[in-house]
Amino acid sequence: MTAQPDHHHLVPPMHTLAELRNALSVWGIPGDIAEFERELADADLDDLTKVREITQAYRHRVLLRCDPQAMAALMRSTDDVADELRRKMNEAGVQ
């Protein structure tokens, strides 16, 4: 498993499955724990690559929820993002 960033004091510990489950219960989106458990149950637990992929995906969900800037970016409307992209492309002279 990967080391957790220590630069953000709000990031809960997620070094073990128990800690990840706890973090999902506090920081997760409704249904995350059930979906996490289903994905683990469906996975071949001898396939450590698959188990790692599943746990990493859910760790990243928690990390996003702990980061106010990431949440603000996710809350932007599609029109707002499209307008910004158009403006940046115009500034760069891209047609």
Side-chain angles (χ1 to χ4, degrees):
M1 306 298 166
T2 64
Q4 299 302 305
D6 55 14
H7 65 280
H8 201 289
H9 68 281
L10 292 178
V11 175
M14 295 182 283
H15 302 287
T16 66
L17 287 177
E19 289 175 341
L20 179 54
R21 286 179 175 112
N22 186 56
L24 285 168
S25 71
V26 174
W27 292 94
I29 296 169
D32 272 356
I33 291 178
E35 189 176 333
F36 174 68
E37 295 297 346
R38 182 190 53 74
E39 286 186 40
L40 276 182
D42 291 346
D44 175 4
L45 296 181
D46 289 331
D47 182 356
L48 295 180
T49 300
K50 183 63 178 173
V51 172
R52 181 180 179 277
E53 288 172 358
I54 293 167
T55 57
Q56 284 299 92
Y58 284 90
R59 281 188 179 111
H60 287 282
R61 288 183 187 196
V62 172
L63 291 173
L64 280 173
R65 293 291 301 260
C66 293
D67 185 339
Q69 289 178 327
M71 289 307 296
L74 289 173
M75 299 297 287
R76 291 178 62 189
S77 71
T78 302
D79 290 337
D80 182 40
V81 173
D83 289 342
E84 181 181 347
L85 180 59
R86 233 182 327 278
R87 182 182 50 77
K88 287 183 177 184
M89 290 176 69
N90 286 336
E91 289 172 1
V94 177
Q95 296 293 352

